[in-house]
Amino acid sequence: MKKVTTTLVIIALCFVSCKKEVKTEDVTAKGSDSIKTEETVAEAPLDSAAQMKAWQAYATPGAPHKLMTDEVGTWNCEMTFWYEPNGKPEKSTSVANIKMILGGRYQEANYQGKIMGAPFEGKSTLAYNNASKEYTSTFIDNMGTGMMVAIGKYDEKTKSMELKGDMVNPVNGKKTPYREIYTIVDATTRKMEMFDVKNGAEYKSMEIIMKKK
């Protein structure tokens, strides 16, 4: 299988890069003279079977990826924005088309709509890292030139995912933290909330209610 072949190649490269030589120094004293000798000692070979098992586990989609696969389809999005704490909300709409890519390992969502009367396009990706047991979210759009990256975990009890990251404020060029909460309301409803920080205090800056068509 192609997946296994690729895994074997990665493992082989990892094995070669990890096998290195280290030098040890022996000092033998004879009277007032010290004789130093160096010998090269190779590290013990890595267990290739264990390496292969670890890489296969890392590359194999599991239950978290099934959770992402359940969202494949088209979603109508009702968006609300707050540009200031306790500010007047602004409403907008968009449509999200969600699909799984690279053999069901990652989720990709493409958004189209309008914000402040201007055409809006955005793209997000979502990954679950089998090794770190964390989700990573990325987002880019046509209203900026930066990428938002957030990392977090899913809570089965609340059916929600909390992700945290940093974004650059284009006004002052400084990084500010942001937080997202993504909630599975029911089989056809999702809620995404975003919280920004202004003057040292967190406030809710966006809410998206997604309904599956």
Side-chain angles (χ1 to χ4, degrees):
M1 294 175 66
K2 186 176 180 181
K3 180 178 72 177
V4 175
T5 303
T6 303
T7 302
L8 290 174
V9 172
I10 295 173
I11 293 171
L13 291 174
C14 180
F15 177 79
V16 172
S17 64
C18 290
K19 186 178 180 180
K20 58 183 180 179
E21 294 183 341
V22 295
K23 293 182 177 180
T24 61
E25 189 175 81
D26 290 335
V27 178
T28 304
K30 290 185 179 181
S32 60
D33 297 329
S34 294
I35 302 175
K36 298 180 179 181
T37 61
E38 293 183 350
E39 66 175 301
T40 301
V41 179
E43 291 183 353
L46 298 175
D47 185 337
S48 59
Q51 286 286 314
M52 179 182 293
K53 185 177 180 180
W55 277 102
Q56 286 179 335
Y58 178 63
T60 303
H65 302 89
K66 172 63 168 59
L67 184 148
M68 293 189 284
T69 301
D70 290 342
E71 299 185 332
V72 169
T74 301
W75 299 73
N76 289 324
C77 305
E78 295 289 335
M79 304 184 293
T80 306
F81 300 91
W82 293 268
Y83 297 108
E84 299 284 341
N86 301 314
K88 182 180 178 180
E90 179 176 313
K91 301 284 187 177
S92 187
T93 61
S94 66
V95 175
N97 289 297
I98 298 178
K99 63 182 180 179
M100 296 299 289
I101 60 174
L102 300 179
R105 292 175 176 83
Y106 306 92
Q107 185 193 89
E108 178 184 280
N110 291 285
Y111 296 82
Q112 287 191 325
K114 285 190 175 182
I115 295 180
M116 294 185 290
F120 168 75
E121 291 182 55
K123 181 187 291 287
S124 70
T125 61
L126 183 65
Y128 179 78
N129 190 316
N130 286 338
S132 67
K133 311 301 181 185
E134 293 177 314
Y135 285 90
T136 300
S137 169
T138 71
F139 189 81
I140 55 175
D141 59 40
N142 66 330
M143 305 189 81
T145 54
M147 174 179 284
M148 298 174 67
V149 181
I151 297 174
K153 295 187 176 183
Y154 178 73
D155 184 348
E156 181 62 35
K157 292 181 181 179
T158 61
K159 302 293 182 182
S160 66
M161 188 185 306
E162 184 180 49
L163 303 113
K164 296 180 179 180
D166 291 312
M167 61 186 296
V168 177
N169 186 328
V171 177
N172 56 26
K174 295 182 179 180
K175 285 186 177 182
T176 58
Y178 72 92
R179 183 168 65 96
E180 293 181 24
I181 297 180
Y182 186 81
T183 304
I184 299 176
V185 180
D186 56 44
T188 59
T189 309
R190 301 290 188 269
K191 179 170 74 171
M192 197 280 277
E193 300 168 278
M194 182 170 174
F195 300 85
D196 289 334
V197 174
K198 192 164 189 175
N199 298 323
E202 185 184 75
Y203 75 100
K204 188 173 181 176
S205 59
M206 182 173 66
E207 179 180 283
I208 302 177
I209 302 297
M210 304 172 63
K211 287 286 188 178
K212 195 171 188 179
K213 285 187 176 182

